[in-house]
Amino acid sequence: MYRLITVEREFGCGAGDIARKIADRLGWNLWDQSLTQEIAKLANVDCSCVQRCDERVDSTLSRLAKVFWRGSHESSLPLAQTFDADVMVELAGRVVKEAARCGHCVIVGRGAPYYLRERPDAFHVFMYAPRAEKLRRLRALGKSEQEAEDLLDTIDRDRIAFVKHYFGADWPTRSLYHMMINTAMGDENVISTILGTIHDLDRAPTTVKTAF
């Protein structure tokens, strides 16, 4: 029986809202912004520090600076002073696995399908949409046309680099997901398709192996 749903997504496709609606429909916990908050709590840093690293690889300059100033005294430094993408990924893995242990949750992004790829009770979904649909959704959130265009041109590029660097995989890793779904079909259609599929699989279990 599936006790977890992970949601990976293209930026702007509406996956966050859809994940929230799925969690509400099931009465499950949603781990999205709460993941950021929990990582920040563990690292003893402000949430903004985590958001800057979230699904992004540190810049080359940042990495060089980090290597340069780190030395034998590093172990005595508070974690807040050394918080970077490497620390964020380590803590994200811990938080995601603990959420999975508790079960009955929907987890958005943060590498969740990679961390949980061996769990038979996790259903992995990738959501995407045509560029025009993503622009429409971003404009509905109050983004200007130029801002929406810029975000679409950069954020998923960062995610590609992030997954390649930390998981050694292409993004999206198609073999990892039970379902890849176009959100242009409408939120309710996406939700009913996902929940209907999970319901059918729970009633008539099949062996679905995912790997990358």
Side-chain angles (χ1 to χ4, degrees), residues 30-41 50 91-92 94-97 99 106-110 112:
L30 174 66
W31 286 91
D32 190 353
Q33 293 305 314
S34 53
L35 266 173
T36 297
Q37 294 164 4
E38 186 64 21
I39 293 168
K41 179 181 176 182
V50 181
L91 294 179
R94 285 164 51 183
V95 174
V96 165
K97 290 173 184 177
V106 180
I107 306 175
V108 181
R110 281 74 169 190

Tab-separated table of all heavy atoms in Angstrom, residues 30-41 50 91-92 94-97 99 106-110 112:
chain	number	residue	atom	x	y	z
A	30	LEU	N	1.590	17.611	4.283
A	30	LEU	CA	2.275	18.145	3.109
A	30	LEU	C	3.656	18.632	3.527
A	30	LEU	O	3.780	19.466	4.436
A	30	LEU	CB	1.480	19.297	2.503
A	30	LEU	CG	2.174	20.040	1.341
A	30	LEU	CD1	2.326	19.120	0.132
A	30	LEU	CD2	1.398	21.301	0.968
A	31	TRP	N	4.680	18.114	2.862
A	31	TRP	CA	6.046	18.575	3.094
A	31	TRP	C	6.493	19.357	1.871
A	31	TRP	O	6.919	18.786	0.868
A	31	TRP	CB	6.986	17.387	3.346
A	31	TRP	CG	6.816	16.764	4.690
A	31	TRP	CD1	5.989	15.718	5.023
A	31	TRP	CD2	7.473	17.161	5.893
A	31	TRP	NE1	6.104	15.435	6.354
A	31	TRP	CE2	7.009	16.305	6.923
A	31	TRP	CE3	8.417	18.144	6.206
A	31	TRP	CZ2	7.451	16.401	8.226
A	31	TRP	CZ3	8.857	18.243	7.514
A	31	TRP	CH2	8.374	17.387	8.511
A	32	ASP	N	6.380	20.670	1.973
A	32	ASP	CA	6.827	21.555	0.906
A	32	ASP	C	7.606	22.684	1.576
A	32	ASP	O	8.794	22.544	1.844
A	32	ASP	CB	5.640	22.075	0.103
A	32	ASP	CG	6.063	22.795	-1.162
A	32	ASP	OD1	7.279	23.016	-1.351
A	32	ASP	OD2	5.199	23.170	-1.974
A	33	GLN	N	6.954	23.783	1.910
A	33	GLN	CA	7.648	24.830	2.650
A	33	GLN	C	8.059	24.353	4.047
A	33	GLN	O	9.052	24.827	4.610
A	33	GLN	CB	6.757	26.068	2.764
A	33	GLN	CG	6.503	26.759	1.436
A	33	GLN	CD	7.796	27.120	0.718
A	33	GLN	OE1	8.716	27.660	1.331
A	33	GLN	NE2	7.880	26.808	-0.559
A	34	SER	N	7.303	23.409	4.601
A	34	SER	CA	7.657	22.870	5.919
A	34	SER	C	8.988	22.133	5.880
A	34	SER	O	9.691	22.058	6.894
A	34	SER	CB	6.553	21.940	6.433
A	34	SER	OG	6.245	20.944	5.482
A	35	LEU	N	9.362	21.603	4.711
A	35	LEU	CA	10.685	20.992	4.560
A	35	LEU	C	11.773	22.037	4.730
A	35	LEU	O	12.768	21.806	5.431
A	35	LEU	CB	10.813	20.339	3.177
A	35	LEU	CG	10.479	18.857	3.054
A	35	LEU	CD1	10.510	18.448	1.592
A	35	LEU	CD2	11.438	18.004	3.860
A	36	THR	N	11.579	23.179	4.085
A	36	THR	CA	12.540	24.276	4.220
A	36	THR	C	12.668	24.706	5.672
A	36	THR	O	13.770	24.915	6.184
A	36	THR	CB	12.099	25.472	3.357
A	36	THR	OG1	12.090	25.086	1.978
A	36	THR	CG2	13.040	26.661	3.538
A	37	GLN	N	11.536	24.807	6.344
A	37	GLN	CA	11.542	25.233	7.746
A	37	GLN	C	12.256	24.221	8.636
A	37	GLN	O	13.005	24.594	9.544
A	37	GLN	CB	10.100	25.442	8.214
A	37	GLN	CG	9.401	26.597	7.515
A	37	GLN	CD	7.892	26.564	7.680
A	37	GLN	OE1	7.354	25.708	8.385
A	37	GLN	NE2	7.203	27.493	7.028
A	38	GLU	N	12.048	22.935	8.380
A	38	GLU	CA	12.671	21.908	9.207
A	38	GLU	C	14.180	21.853	8.976
A	38	GLU	O	14.960	21.690	9.923
A	38	GLU	CB	12.043	20.539	8.911
A	38	GLU	CG	12.512	19.417	9.808
A	38	GLU	CD	12.139	19.614	11.268
A	38	GLU	OE1	11.208	20.392	11.552
A	38	GLU	OE2	12.780	18.987	12.143
A	39	ILE	N	14.607	22.005	7.717
A	39	ILE	CA	16.038	22.035	7.412
A	39	ILE	C	16.688	23.231	8.096
A	39	ILE	O	17.772	23.121	8.686
A	39	ILE	CB	16.263	22.081	5.887
A	39	ILE	CG1	15.807	20.777	5.241
A	39	ILE	CG2	17.744	22.335	5.562
A	39	ILE	CD1	15.723	20.848	3.728
A	40	ALA	N	16.029	24.395	8.027
A	40	ALA	CA	16.562	25.598	8.670
A	40	ALA	C	16.675	25.404	10.182
A	40	ALA	O	17.659	25.828	10.806
A	40	ALA	CB	15.673	26.794	8.356
A	41	LYS	N	15.693	24.736	10.766
A	41	LYS	CA	15.716	24.479	12.203
A	41	LYS	C	16.890	23.585	12.575
A	41	LYS	O	17.618	23.854	13.546
A	41	LYS	CB	14.395	23.822	12.617
A	41	LYS	CG	14.306	23.485	14.095
A	41	LYS	CD	12.966	22.830	14.392
A	41	LYS	CE	12.884	22.383	15.850
A	41	LYS	NZ	11.579	21.699	16.135
A	50	VAL	N	18.279	28.560	3.467
A	50	VAL	CA	17.911	27.295	2.830
A	50	VAL	C	17.323	27.562	1.451
A	50	VAL	O	17.628	26.859	0.483
A	50	VAL	CB	16.900	26.522	3.703
A	50	VAL	CG1	16.528	25.200	3.043
A	50	VAL	CG2	17.475	26.276	5.089
A	91	LEU	N	21.024	17.498	5.050
A	91	LEU	CA	19.910	17.654	5.969
A	91	LEU	C	18.581	17.325	5.295
A	91	LEU	O	17.682	16.743	5.927
A	91	LEU	CB	19.879	19.077	6.523
A	91	LEU	CG	21.060	19.466	7.410
A	91	LEU	CD1	20.918	20.910	7.880
A	91	LEU	CD2	21.164	18.542	8.617
A	92	ALA	N	18.444	17.676	4.027
A	92	ALA	CA	17.210	17.363	3.301
A	92	ALA	C	16.989	15.858	3.259
A	92	ALA	O	15.858	15.382	3.428
A	92	ALA	CB	17.272	17.931	1.883
A	94	ARG	N	17.944	13.676	5.435
A	94	ARG	CA	17.511	13.244	6.761
A	94	ARG	C	16.036	13.570	7.002
A	94	ARG	O	15.268	12.736	7.510
A	94	ARG	CB	18.379	13.902	7.830
A	94	ARG	CG	19.765	13.293	7.940
A	94	ARG	CD	20.740	14.181	8.698
A	94	ARG	NE	20.226	14.632	9.984
A	94	ARG	CZ	20.893	15.469	10.784
A	94	ARG	NH1	22.091	15.925	10.424
A	94	ARG	NH2	20.376	15.840	11.938
A	95	VAL	N	15.639	14.786	6.627
A	95	VAL	CA	14.258	15.208	6.854
A	95	VAL	C	13.289	14.402	5.987
A	95	VAL	O	12.240	13.939	6.457
A	95	VAL	CB	14.096	16.715	6.565
A	95	VAL	CG1	12.628	17.126	6.652
A	95	VAL	CG2	14.922	17.531	7.542
A	96	VAL	N	13.644	14.201	4.726
A	96	VAL	CA	12.781	13.450	3.808
A	96	VAL	C	12.614	12.009	4.286
A	96	VAL	O	11.500	11.455	4.282
A	96	VAL	CB	13.361	13.488	2.375
A	96	VAL	CG1	12.709	12.423	1.496
A	96	VAL	CG2	13.169	14.868	1.761
A	97	LYS	N	13.696	11.382	4.699
A	97	LYS	CA	13.618	9.994	5.155
A	97	LYS	C	12.814	9.867	6.438
A	97	LYS	O	12.094	8.879	6.638
A	97	LYS	CB	15.025	9.429	5.329
A	97	LYS	CG	15.744	9.212	4.002
A	97	LYS	CD	17.189	8.803	4.195
A	97	LYS	CE	17.913	8.682	2.858
A	97	LYS	NZ	19.353	8.356	3.031
A	99	ALA	N	10.337	11.923	7.291
A	99	ALA	CA	8.946	12.114	6.881
A	99	ALA	C	8.391	10.824	6.284
A	99	ALA	O	7.252	10.444	6.555
A	99	ALA	CB	8.847	13.260	5.873
A	106	VAL	N	2.725	13.867	1.499
A	106	VAL	CA	3.071	14.250	0.124
A	106	VAL	C	4.305	15.138	0.227
A	106	VAL	O	4.291	16.146	0.943
A	106	VAL	CB	1.914	15.020	-0.546
A	106	VAL	CG1	2.302	15.412	-1.974
A	106	VAL	CG2	0.630	14.179	-0.544
A	107	ILE	N	5.368	14.772	-0.481
A	107	ILE	CA	6.643	15.482	-0.398
A	107	ILE	C	6.938	16.117	-1.754
A	107	ILE	O	6.948	15.426	-2.776
A	107	ILE	CB	7.794	14.545	-0.003
A	107	ILE	CG1	7.456	13.791	1.287
A	107	ILE	CG2	9.092	15.327	0.157
A	107	ILE	CD1	8.483	12.751	1.676
A	108	VAL	N	7.184	17.421	-1.751
A	108	VAL	CA	7.418	18.160	-2.992
A	108	VAL	C	8.903	18.457	-3.161
A	108	VAL	O	9.512	19.124	-2.313
A	108	VAL	CB	6.624	19.478	-3.018
A	108	VAL	CG1	6.860	20.222	-4.336
A	108	VAL	CG2	5.132	19.205	-2.817
A	109	GLY	N	9.497	17.972	-4.252
A	109	GLY	CA	10.868	18.316	-4.597
A	109	GLY	C	11.901	17.871	-3.596
A	109	GLY	O	11.766	16.844	-2.940
A	110	ARG	N	13.001	18.650	-3.498
A	110	ARG	CA	14.103	18.427	-2.557
A	110	ARG	C	14.761	17.067	-2.732
A	110	ARG	O	15.307	16.502	-1.791
A	110	ARG	CB	13.638	18.584	-1.108
A	110	ARG	CG	13.499	20.021	-0.644
A	110	ARG	CD	12.286	20.673	-1.235
A	110	ARG	NE	11.987	21.968	-0.609
A	110	ARG	CZ	10.868	22.634	-0.830
A	110	ARG	NH1	9.943	22.151	-1.623
A	110	ARG	NH2	10.673	23.801	-0.250
A	112	ALA	N	13.380	14.202	-3.171
A	112	ALA	CA	12.659	13.124	-2.497
A	112	ALA	C	12.592	11.823	-3.295
A	112	ALA	O	12.821	10.746	-2.740
A	112	ALA	CB	11.261	13.589	-2.113
